[in-house]
Amino acid sequence: MTSLNHYALGAVADWLHRVVGGLQRTEPGYKRIRIAPQPGGGLTSANSSHDTIRGRIEVSWRIADGEVTVQACIPPDTEADVVLPFHPQEPVLTVGDGTHSWRYPAPANYGEAANLSMASPIRDLAKKEPTWQAVMEVLQRYFPGLPLDASAPEAAAMSLNDVLQHVPGVSIELENDLKTALATTAAPEVRKE
């Protein structure tokens, strides 16, 4: 029998509540809390809640249509220090019980694909079909029949730099051809290194 009651699973849930959802206790009995969501990794929304002796605490945030929206529901007899993610003035607000909502402009380009380079993970390169095709054409030209599956766990996190380090006799021409393939297939989104 496999137990699901393991620290590893609890640690993930704790991280999701404290970091992604931004919900943390700062005084015993949840008399005072901190709400400080930390969007990242391409996440555009999250909801977090916790039942306390004072009532349910709820926090949600969303980044959409160029705006950040943060909502919090604070139970009676509780205070919250709120840190609004990506807020231009980086304010820390103290609020009491009730429902609170904030809306402000999102950072420019939040959620857009990162620039692709020789250091980008293969899984990111494979998401851009023209880029992946160009990279594969270069690799097949130098190494016909080279198996490179972007969905394979052992390859997905590797970068092209990593791949080149594991292939003996790599020429500077191969590296330059890969950089050219990256630069020409998605010029506005891809940068050379």
Side-chain angles (χ1 to χ4, degrees):
M1 179 170 197
T2 303
S3 171
L4 297 178
N5 186 14
H6 190 275
Y7 172 74
L9 300 173
V12 171
D14 177 62
W15 178 81
L16 287 170
H17 272 270
R18 283 185 307 100
V19 177
V20 178
L23 179 55
Q24 301 174 35
R25 175 186 57 85
T26 57
E27 287 186 13
Y30 287 84
K31 175 85 173 154
R32 188 173 199 92
I33 59 173
R34 176 180 164 91
I35 296 173
Q38 297 178 38
L43 291 177
T44 57
S45 67
N47 298 308
S48 184
S49 64
H50 185 75
D51 291 322
T52 73
I53 194 164
R54 300 175 194 296
R56 178 175 277 236
I57 301 167
E58 296 179 6
V59 178
S60 67
W61 60 266
R62 175 178 217 73
I63 301 174
D65 302 323
E67 283 190 329
V68 177
T69 304
V70 178
Q71 295 180 326
C73 185
I74 312 300
D77 197 27
T78 303
E79 283 191 333
D81 297 313
V82 181
V83 180
L84 299 172
F86 304 130
H87 195 280
Q89 285 96 31
E90 300 181 19
V92 177
L93 311 165
T94 300
V95 298
D97 64 345
T99 301
H100 307 275
S101 183
W102 300 270
R103 181 173 286 181
Y104 49 94
N109 304 324
Y110 183 83
E112 290 184 9
N115 291 337
L116 300 175
S117 70
M118 293 289 288
S120 299
I122 287 175
R123 73 171 138 312
D124 291 349
L125 298 175
K127 290 177 186 174
K128 299 282 188 181
E129 185 62 34
T131 301
W132 185 239
Q133 278 301 118
V135 166
M136 288 303 296
E137 286 172 12
V138 170
L139 291 174
Q140 290 300 315
R141 193 167 56 242
Y142 283 86
F143 306 105
L146 174 74
L148 187 56
D149 180 4
S151 64
E154 61 276 1
M158 293 178 73
S159 68
L160 290 175
N161 288 333
D162 296 333
V163 170
L164 293 180
Q165 288 179 357
H166 290 90
V167 178
V170 171
S171 67
I172 192 71
E173 291 84 15
L174 169 58
E175 187 173 347
N176 288 337
D177 285 350
L178 286 169
K179 288 179 181 178
T180 300
L182 290 171
T184 58
T185 56
E189 298 176 6
V190 178
R191 62 178 163 78
K192 281 188 177 182
E193 288 192 323

